[in-house]
Amino acid sequence: MFRLDDKHLEKAKELAAHNRKKKTCNTCYDRGYIGTAPDNTIMLCHKCVDIEKATKAWKDYVKDIPELKEYYKELFEEGKE
């Protein structure tokens, strides 16, 4: 099973916090994410995070790291159905 390294998890948390659109949130307690999944990825807060911007920022981060690009290859398969 894939498990995201802690250094990448910290970057994901940073990107989530950077892409928040509200100053305060009682859902995520102003973190930008609700929690972590078993694979060590975060669950973005749907109330205060701009999901599109956060996903684009994550995609830009992932494209330069081969092992992450392989795991998140669906981010790069736009337009296919």
Side-chain angles (χ1 to χ4, degrees):
M1 178 179 174
F2 177 80
R3 180 166 164 73
L4 190 66
D5 288 338
D6 288 336
K7 65 182 178 180
H8 302 306
L9 175 63
E10 291 305 315
K11 182 64 175 181
K13 289 177 180 179
E14 178 184 316
L15 293 172
H18 181 70
N19 287 292
R20 292 186 60 229
K21 53 188 174 184
K22 289 175 59 178
K23 291 195 183 272
T24 60
C25 180
N26 291 332
T27 302
C28 69
Y29 305 106
D30 306 332
R31 297 179 299 181
Y33 64 97
I34 298 169
T36 57
D39 61 353
N40 212 25
T41 58
I42 62 172
M43 295 174 281
L44 293 174
C45 178
H46 65 280
K47 284 192 165 191
C48 73
V49 173
D50 186 336
I51 303 293
E52 285 185 24
K53 285 184 181 179
T55 302
K56 182 177 179 343
W58 180 248
K59 183 178 174 181
D60 290 342
Y61 176 73
V62 165
K63 72 180 178 184
D64 297 328
I65 304 168
E67 71 261 8
L68 291 181
K69 189 172 182 180
E70 175 64 29
Y71 184 72
Y72 291 104
K73 61 187 170 195
E74 70 275 357
L75 288 175
F76 301 98
E77 296 175 355
E78 296 178 19
K80 294 183 181 178
E81 292 193 25

